[in-house]
Amino acid sequence: MTTATLAEPTTHARPAPPNRILAIVRLHFVNPATTIVIPWMILGFIFLVNLAIWAIIFASVADEESRTNAQEGLNWSGASFYIFVYMTIVAIQAINLTFPFAQGYSVTRKDFYLGTSIAFLLLAAMYAAGLTVLSLIEDATDGWGLGGHMFTSVYFGVGEWYVRFGLFFTIFAFFFFLGAAFAAVYVRWRANGMIALWAAITLVIVALIALVTFTDSWPAVGGWFVETGVNGVILWTLVPTAISAVTGYFVLKKATPRN
């Protein structure tokens, strides 16, 4: 008598699904030219131009008092503002170009936006670290030997390296998520949405100016800026940053990719 033994069915563990969020993060770094290389190249060119201007100013003044006055004026340099504003363009391009591609691979809008947000925060940290190092070098060399200020101007406040990093990171995050909100509006409603958005922004700004003017509140506004200080004002940008991030998510949540 023979007995038949039934082999137990083998079970194969299903492979874990790919992490779509990390895939989106990597997607934004596939072409580092637009997000990393070009911004640093342009910033480097701006720095060289400013270095030449500082050298001309330094050579054109002979006495020490005039040089001191000139160096004080250089504290108000806005030469590095370019890289912050450019991050808005980077964010707009990133969402506008990659959103249709990601949707073609069945990536959910939530995963896409979370992955994009992480990519923006990583870029903000990278750029903040770079500007922090440059600001420390600028301090150590007394303005690159010419008393210049490009990364330590009064607009960025003062403090230890971690304070500078935090302030730079906060500014970059603001411009990244501001761009994300604009991009989300464009992806969902295209030109009509942008026209309506800019019209609404214009009306709000005009209304605020009128309110402050008619209530004679300009001294109070100026006093608030003085009392809050540069560091405090920069930290207050976290509020519009959070609003932009949340707005961008909910607008993009209903967006449909279009060619």
Side-chain angles (χ1 to χ4, degrees), residues 12-247:
H12 299 281
R14 293 182 179 179
N19 193 319
R20 295 186 179 91
I21 296 177
L22 291 181
I24 294 299
V25 174
R26 290 194 295 268
L27 177 63
H28 289 296
F29 291 95
V30 168
N31 182 17
T34 56
T35 56
I36 300 175
V37 178
I38 293 178
W40 282 117
M41 287 179 61
I42 298 177
L43 187 66
F45 176 76
I46 294 174
F47 170 72
L48 292 177
V49 171
N50 277 267
L51 202 64
I53 294 173
W54 298 335
I56 294 172
I57 294 174
F58 193 79
S60 63
V61 290
D63 59 287
E64 191 65 28
E65 183 179 355
S66 298
R67 287 184 176 179
T68 301
N69 292 334
Q71 289 174 351
E72 289 179 358
L74 295 177
N75 275 309
W76 300 88
S77 171
S80 58
F81 278 177
Y82 137 80
I83 198 167
F84 297 107
V85 178
Y86 187 80
M87 291 306 111
T88 303
I89 300 174
V90 169
I92 293 173
Q93 290 179 334
I95 291 181
N96 188 41
L97 296 178
T98 60
F99 178 70
F101 178 80
Q103 291 297 291
Y105 282 88
S106 301
V107 175
T108 65
R109 289 163 176 79
K110 179 181 178 181
D111 290 344
F112 173 81
Y113 197 79
L114 287 176
T116 300
S117 298
I118 293 173
F120 288 166
L121 292 176
L122 290 175
L123 286 170
M126 184 269 292
Y127 280 108
L131 292 192
T132 300
V133 171
L134 290 171
S135 71
L136 294 175
I137 296 174
E138 192 167 270
D139 275 343
T141 58
D142 191 21
W144 312 98
L146 299 170
H149 293 274
M150 180 169 170
F151 309 103
T152 57
S153 64
V154 295
Y155 308 110
F156 302 135
V158 294
E160 299 294 333
W161 68 267
Y162 50 86
V163 175
R164 301 183 188 191
F165 174 83
L167 294 176
F168 284 133
F169 178 84
T170 301
I171 301 173
F172 277 118
F174 168 76
F175 282 102
F176 270 120
F177 285 103
L178 181 66
F182 276 101
V185 170
Y186 179 76
V187 168
R188 183 169 179 180
W189 293 297
R190 294 296 177 178
N192 291 335
M194 295 304 298
I195 293 172
L197 177 61
W198 280 111
I201 292 174
T202 302
L203 291 175
V204 169
I205 292 175
V206 172
L208 289 175
I209 293 175
L211 177 64
V212 174
T213 301
F214 292 142
T215 57
D216 295 325
S217 300
W218 286 113
V221 172
W224 180 85
F225 278 99
V226 172
E227 182 179 352
T228 305
V230 175
N231 294 3
V233 172
I234 292 175
L235 290 177
W236 268 104
T237 63
L238 289 172
V239 175
T241 299
I243 294 174
S244 298
V246 174
T247 301

